[in-house]
Amino acid sequence: MEAQTDGRAWRAVQDDLDRILTVTRDPAGRRYAARLHHRAAVVRLRRALSEAGAPAEGALDGLDAELEGLSATPTLATLAPAASAEALGRLQQALAADAGHLPSLRAAAALATAGGRWREAVAWLERLARIGAQAPWVPAVQARVADVCWHELGDAAAARDALAAAVQQGGDDPALLDRLLKLELELEHWDAAVDLCYRLMRVVEADRADLRVTYRLTLGEIHVYGVRRPAAALLHYLEAVRLLPAYALTYTLLQELVEAQGWRALADELARLPDDEVAPLRALIDALGEALAANEAVDEALGVFRAAAIRSGSGTAA
């Protein structure tokens, strides 16, 4: 009974708004048209929520947050398709009155997303980003475009373009840079991925040595499987050892590299690299070579090497 009462109350509000909307037919009232049509759309959705028997306060808060693009609550997805379609019609009227009405663009994008209409959602979000121009919230919208393109449409290239635009405007945001790195890796854009790894190592917090090691190891993987320079990969792995000697994954990757390439081939390739790249890591290179010479099994040699690296402590390179 309470839900029915709430539903009738919202229907009364909707009827009042429809009467008020008649003023927008006059030139003096047209400036209010977008706001009133947007309000009518929200009221229609609130009415549908009430008629569905949702608890008033929490559900309405969730609905408002979802329409504003502030959360990904599933509220809209629970509503009847007819109510969502009617609300979208109201939003389109709002945008016909004011093509740059941001609340209506956000709400239209939210409705498309909730309905799984992914290409429509991308179109609304891209329009929202264009209207927002240089607003500080635009990178977040572009990142949402990237998420939809990547995870829902399977279009990594379009997702990469959206994230690149977000990074260009958002600057050195580590979260955006990391997401862009993952896309560049998926697309096998090795040079771009290398640049992003170095950029991320510069911008992560000074006390996050684990993150800097992660990007060092990523550089190593790029040089093993992407650009096919195993000795350069070895240097990145040894930089990771220098920064965090006890980090277990580094030694796993070192073992895979040595077993796949052979220490002699790696040493020969190292000898052909510029001295300024090799010299800072000479002590670790020699220690690794000695451990491999003294132990027949690579895993045993790396255990000895790891223990020695931990005993000697860490440096400051990243």
Side-chain angles (χ1 to χ4, degrees):
M1 178 65 72
E2 183 179 350
Q4 292 176 349
T5 302
D6 287 344
R8 285 197 295 268
W10 286 117
R11 180 57 188 262
V13 174
Q14 189 175 343
D15 291 341
D16 287 343
L17 278 170
D18 286 338
R19 284 190 289 273
I20 295 170
L21 275 163
T22 59
V23 306
T24 64
R25 299 171 190 166
D26 300 323
R30 284 174 190 162
R31 57 180 168 171
Y32 304 109
R35 279 178 285 173
L36 289 171
H37 281 299
H38 174 263
R39 181 61 180 165
V42 174
V43 167
R44 180 64 185 94
L45 294 170
R46 288 186 168 201
R47 173 187 151 203
L49 199 60
S50 296
E51 289 171 346
E57 291 302 322
L60 290 180
D61 289 345
L63 174 66
D64 290 343
E66 194 172 354
L67 289 173
E68 292 169 13
L70 299 176
S71 74
T73 61
T75 307
L76 285 172
T78 66
L79 301 182
S84 296
E86 186 177 335
L88 180 59
R90 298 278 191 169
L91 294 172
Q92 289 170 330
Q93 288 178 288
L95 291 166
D98 179 2
H101 192 245
L102 297 179
S104 293
L105 286 170
R106 291 191 184 99
L111 280 169
T113 300
R117 302 188 303 277
W118 304 116
R119 296 194 184 281
E120 181 185 336
V122 166
W124 286 120
L125 289 167
E126 288 178 336
R127 183 172 168 183
L128 180 60
R130 287 195 301 272
I131 295 294
Q134 299 301 311
W137 46 263
V138 167
V141 174
Q142 293 164 326
R144 287 170 60 199
V145 171
D147 284 342
V148 173
C149 288
W150 195 4
H151 300 300
E152 306 300 343
L153 298 176
D155 190 342
R160 183 264 168 208
D161 291 343
L163 265 183
V167 166
Q168 184 175 7
Q169 186 165 338
D172 286 335
D173 181 325
L176 288 178
L177 291 171
D178 186 76
R179 290 162 71 181
L180 181 56
L181 171 62
K182 290 179 172 62
L183 277 164
E184 300 290 21
L185 290 170
E186 179 166 321
L187 293 166
E188 298 186 355
H189 294 169
W190 306 124
D191 289 345
V194 166
D195 290 344
L196 282 167
C197 285
Y198 281 114
R199 187 173 175 182
L200 277 159
M201 287 190 293
R202 289 194 301 269
V203 303
V204 294
E205 296 179 14
D207 62 345
R208 293 303 306 270
D210 58 325
L211 287 178
R212 294 201 296 282
V213 164
T214 295
Y215 296 123
R216 274 292 174 190
L217 298 182
T218 301
L219 282 166
E221 295 291 273
I222 291 169
H223 282 81
V224 172
Y225 301 107
V227 297
R228 309 288 181 177
R229 293 183 58 208
L234 176 63
L235 294 180
H236 287 299
Y237 294 157
L238 293 178
E239 286 281 12
V241 170
R242 184 160 66 165
L243 184 62
L244 279 184
Y247 200 73
L249 179 58
T250 304
Y251 299 94
T252 299
L253 296 177
L254 270 172
Q255 180 175 338
E256 292 175 357
L257 179 64
V258 172
E259 288 178 342
Q261 302 295 325
W263 176 247
R264 175 51 57 195
L266 287 169
D268 289 345
E269 188 179 342
L270 281 173
R272 294 191 292 271
L273 293 180
D275 187 63
D276 61 347
E277 294 181 18
V278 178
L281 294 163
R282 177 53 63 190
L284 284 173
I285 293 169
D286 291 345
L288 177 58
E290 290 168 7
L292 289 165
N295 295 271
E296 183 174 348
V298 174
D299 59 341
E300 293 176 2
L302 285 170
V304 172
F305 174 67
R306 181 184 184 187
I310 292 172
R311 283 195 303 272
S312 68
S314 62
T316 58

